[in-house]
């Protein structure tokens, strides 16, 4: 029988690693360890459907029976506190007390936690990262309120769109001069700024928040944004401390190679906490998406189950989505480089090019174009703007 696999972190990627190991025929012991209570769940609905329907059961990624049927040991409310690489084991603490578990392969799937920017009074702000956070937030939406959202990224804007639709007064405060600046083109930022204003949100762009109190938020220029409650959605930072303490290489995430191995080949890292070579550019990137977490997990599981030193490198095309109001923003590919040229193919389709060619295509409510571009990016053929124009017009 194969040696034990321990997976630290039972979110989207950690659970997928357990699923994929069994699918790949891995017959050794698999232990999935997660700090949070309950079954592993999906986070994307926390800022979308869950805020509206409050259906926590619908979030579970697999039922309890999965763990019995697939012979996966699941330890909820249990935290990996230390990796002992010399002994090949992890130390954990949980409801059963402290213990140590041996591994032949360890998968780090520890995700991220919310960033705490230097803003005074953040104890008055809510977070939106876990189901527990979302439950608290939902409770605050029970009566009409004035809400300030610090952070104009995907999560803050998804929340803002739901809250405005429910009749709340919403202000979005973004330190950068445009919305979703790390993730989308200026053209898309402007498009969504117009949409959010049309839906009724007030936007404060290029205005860092400096303090939060019980009555609202104060911005750097002294502007006061009154609010009954404040959501902090100002980005995340990767959970790398376990890896760092174990002497593994980290730099904006746990650094892995093209086969997602850390600087110790017995330890892999995936998803939000991993910094991996972008297959298209070779540059190390860290992506916060369901796609990256699950595709990483599949490759790591196949490698461990197959034990193939010459197996394939990670080559998946990145893709993202964000539901804001009645608009589905989808991004095929990833434009993370410094020199990107953007072209509006139509009002709802933006192409982003860099020195390697087409980097990403952003679409609004155009799932067919998005899926076709994903397939095109997966092939090695160069993609010209004219081809995208034909595709968008079809
Ligand atoms: C509100 C919200 C909306 C989102 N919407 C989208 C979306 O629309 N589309 C999209 O692609 N992505 C979305 N995401 C991002 C997506 O959910 C993440 O990219 C994905 O969950 C990453 O999976 P992961 O396994 O790397 O980390 P996670 O799913 O975050 O799981 C990590 C887990 O590890 C646990 N952990 C950490 N340290 C330890 C330890 N030492 N021991 C044990 N357990 C530990 C954590 O408690 C956590 O449960 C959203 C995220 C949030 C919060």
């Amino acid at each position: 029988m194969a040696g034990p696999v321990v997976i630290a972190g039972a979110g989207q990627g950690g659970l997928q690693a357990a699923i994929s190991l069994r699918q790949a025929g891995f017959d050794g012991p698999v232990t999935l360890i997660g700090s949070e209570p309950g079954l592993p769940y999906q986070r994307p609905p926390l800022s979308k459907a869950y805020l509206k329907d409050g259906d926590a059961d619908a979030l579970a990624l697999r039922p309890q029976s999965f763990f019995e049927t697939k012979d996966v040991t699941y330890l909820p409310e249990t935290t990996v506190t230390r990796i002992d690489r010399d002994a090949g084991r992890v130390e954990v603490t949980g409801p059963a007390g402290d213990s140590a578990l041996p591994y032949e392969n360890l998968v780090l799937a520890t995700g991220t936690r919310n960033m705490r920017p230097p803003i005074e009074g953040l104890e008055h702000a809510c977070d939106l990262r876990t189901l527990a956070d979302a439950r608290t937030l939902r409770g605050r939406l029970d009566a009409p309120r004035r809400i300030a959202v610090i952070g104009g990224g995907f999560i803050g804007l998804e929340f803002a769109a739901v809250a405005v639709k429910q009749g709340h007064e919403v202000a979005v405060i973004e330190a950068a001069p445009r919305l979703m600046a790390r993730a989308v083109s200026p053209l898309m930022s402007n498009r969504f700024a117009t949409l959010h204003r049309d839906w009724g949100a007030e936007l404060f762009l290029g205005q860092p928040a400096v303090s939060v109190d019980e009555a609202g938020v104060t911005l750097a220029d002294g502007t006061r944004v009154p609010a009954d409650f404040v959501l902090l959605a100002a980005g995340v930072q990767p959970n790398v401390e376990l890896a760092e303490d174990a002497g593994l290489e980290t730099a904006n995430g746990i650094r892995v190679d093209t086969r997602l191995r850390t600087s110790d080949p017995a330890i892999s890292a995936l998803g939000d906490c991993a910094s991996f070579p972008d297959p298209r550019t070779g540059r190390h990137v860290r992506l916060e998406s369901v796609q990256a977490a699950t595709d990483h997990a599949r490759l790591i599981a196949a490698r461990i189950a197959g034990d193939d030193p010459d197996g394939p490198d990670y080559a998946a095309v990145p893709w993202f989505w964000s539901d804001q109001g009645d608009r589905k923003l989808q991004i095929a590919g990833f434009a993370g480089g410094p020199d990107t040229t953007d072209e509006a193919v139509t009002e709802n389709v933006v192409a982003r090019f860099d020195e390697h060619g087409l980097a990403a295509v952003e679409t609004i409510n155009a799932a067919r174009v998005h899926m076709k571009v994903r397939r095109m990016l997966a092939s090695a053929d160069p993609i010209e703007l004219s081809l995208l124009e034909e595709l968008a017009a079809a």
Side-chain angles (χ1 to χ4, degrees):
M1 197 204 275
V5 176
V6 170
I7 304 164
Q12 189 91 46
L15 177 72
Q16 184 64 51
I19 295 169
S20 297
L21 277 165
R22 290 302 186 224
Q23 281 173 345
F26 181 78
D27 64 358
V30 176
T31 305
L32 177 66
I33 305 170
S35 302
E36 292 186 65
L39 290 167
Y41 62 92
Q42 39 182 332
R43 293 182 203 283
L46 297 181
S47 50
K48 310 175 181 74
Y50 176 81
L51 288 175
K52 297 177 220 164
D53 63 27
D55 185 357
D57 292 342
L59 303 178
L61 286 159
R62 284 291 183 279
Q64 181 63 42
S65 56
F66 163 83
F67 298 100
E68 286 109 46
T69 320
K70 299 296 177 190
D71 193 18
V72 170
T73 305
Y74 174 45
L75 305 177
E77 292 181 76
T78 302
T79 297
V80 177
T81 52
R82 183 169 169 262
I83 304 167
D84 183 344
R85 287 168 55 195
D86 294 335
R89 62 182 193 186
V90 293
E91 295 171 11
V92 304
T93 184
D98 296 348
S99 57
L101 293 171
Y103 66 81
E104 187 173 291
N105 278 284
L106 172 64
V107 181
L108 297 176
T110 49
T112 54
R113 61 179 176 276
N114 278 0
M115 203 113 76
R116 312 300 288 177
I119 299 173
E120 258 177 61
L122 278 185
E123 67 277 13
H124 299 290
C126 302
D127 282 309
L128 181 47
R129 176 85 209 146
T130 64
L131 176 55
D133 295 336
R135 278 204 178 101
T136 307
L137 261 188
R138 226 184 147 257
R140 307 292 297 270
L141 295 176
D142 60 345
R145 293 189 200 280
R146 290 169 311 173
I147 304 169
V149 179
I150 301 179
F154 289 151
I155 293 175
L157 292 174
E158 288 177 2
F159 172 84
V162 172
V164 155
K165 187 89 199 286
Q166 291 183 349
H168 303 282
E169 245 178 69
V170 180
V172 177
I173 298 157
E174 170 55 55
R178 63 184 179 95
L179 298 175
M180 303 177 284
R182 281 188 311 127
V184 305
S185 63
L187 289 165
M188 250 334 142
S189 296
N190 293 342
R191 184 98 173 78
F192 273 87
T194 304
L195 285 169
H196 280 276
R197 286 191 177 113
D198 287 350
W199 292 329
E202 193 173 3
L203 304 183
F204 296 89
L205 301 178
Q207 291 280 8
V210 290
S211 69
V212 177
D213 55 48
E214 276 155 6
V217 183
T218 304
L219 310 186
D221 67 355
T223 305
R224 214 28 217 165
V225 182
D228 304 314
F229 81 86
V230 177
L231 171 67
L232 176 68
V236 295
Q237 65 184 88
N239 292 323
V240 297
E241 291 73 9
L242 260 186
E244 253 168 20
D245 293 349
L248 301 175
E249 219 180 301
T250 63
N252 180 31
I254 305 166
R255 206 173 157 90
V256 293
D257 65 13
T258 53
R259 301 199 65 212
L260 310 179
R261 294 169 296 210
T262 68
S263 43
D264 176 343
I267 306 179
S268 309
L270 62 73
D272 281 15
C273 71
S275 164
F276 66 100
D278 175 4
R280 202 177 64 86
T281 63
R283 249 190 329 258
H284 265 75
V285 295
R286 193 178 63 72
L287 302 183
E288 294 151 18
S289 71
V290 167
Q291 174 276 323
T294 50
D295 281 337
H296 286 170
R298 290 187 183 107
L299 182 120
I300 291 169
R303 170 164 53 70
I304 292 173
D307 200 19
D308 175 5
D310 301 318
D313 285 346
Y314 182 74
V317 172
W319 52 268
F320 310 82
W321 83 95
S322 174
D323 297 335
Q324 299 177 32
D326 58 358
R327 307 302 155 109
K328 182 178 276 295
L329 166 65
Q330 291 177 295
I331 306 168
F334 172 65
D339 298 314
T340 308
T341 312
D342 303 322
E343 299 280 354
V345 181
T346 67
E347 196 193 10
N348 290 325
V349 180
V350 174
R352 311 197 74 189
F353 294 88
D354 64 15
E355 74 272 29
H356 301 277
L358 182 71
V361 173
E362 305 164 341
T363 54
I364 302 175
N365 289 358
R368 191 185 53 83
V369 176
H370 170 78
M371 289 307 298
K372 286 215 163 154
V373 173
R374 267 166 59 180
R375 281 197 289 276
M376 284 157 63
L377 285 168
S379 77
D381 302 339
I383 306 166
E384 306 294 337
L385 183 61
S386 54
L387 191 56
L388 296 171
E389 282 165 349
E390 276 169 38
L391 193 61

